[in-house]
């Protein structure tokens, strides 16, 4: 059995309250990982083209207010 399979079994056996706590923790953990990946991509210049296109669209007035 792989480590992932063991974790899956453990998660499946958690009481609802504990599962809710795990879900909350994982959401925060995943958000931090996502932020780290975006920051890394920005620092490596991977988003430069997309950012440039967005700025051009903004300058042309091609955007929607949120």
């Amino acid at each position: 059995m792989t480590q992932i399979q063991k974790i899956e079994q453990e998660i499946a056996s958690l009481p609802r309250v504990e599962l809710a706590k795990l879900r909350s923790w994982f959401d925060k953990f995943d958000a931090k990982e996502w932020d780290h990946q975006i920051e890394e991509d920005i620092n490596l210049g991977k988003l430069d083209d997309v950012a440039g296109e967005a700025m051009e669209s903004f300058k042309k007035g091609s955007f929607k207010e949120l």
Side-chain angles (χ1 to χ4, degrees):
M1 178 180 292
T2 68
Q3 186 174 6
I4 295 295
Q5 290 170 324
K6 289 176 189 175
I7 293 169
E8 288 172 347
Q9 282 185 341
E10 289 292 323
I11 290 171
S13 69
L14 287 174
R16 288 180 191 242
V17 172
E18 293 297 312
L19 183 59
K21 289 178 183 178
L22 174 65
R23 191 178 291 122
S24 176
W25 171 84
F26 189 80
D27 285 345
K28 292 172 189 167
F29 172 81
D30 197 39
K32 286 179 186 175
E33 288 297 310
W34 178 256
D35 289 346
H36 175 75
Q37 184 63 54
I38 291 291
E39 187 175 321
E40 188 176 301
D41 288 348
I42 290 169
N43 290 336
L44 292 173
K46 291 183 178 181
L47 301 176
D48 290 353
D49 290 342
V50 174
E53 289 175 22
M55 291 304 294
E56 286 301 316
S57 293
F58 181 77
K59 288 175 186 176
K60 292 176 185 175
S62 303
F63 64 91
K64 292 182 193 175
E65 297 241 3
L66 299 175

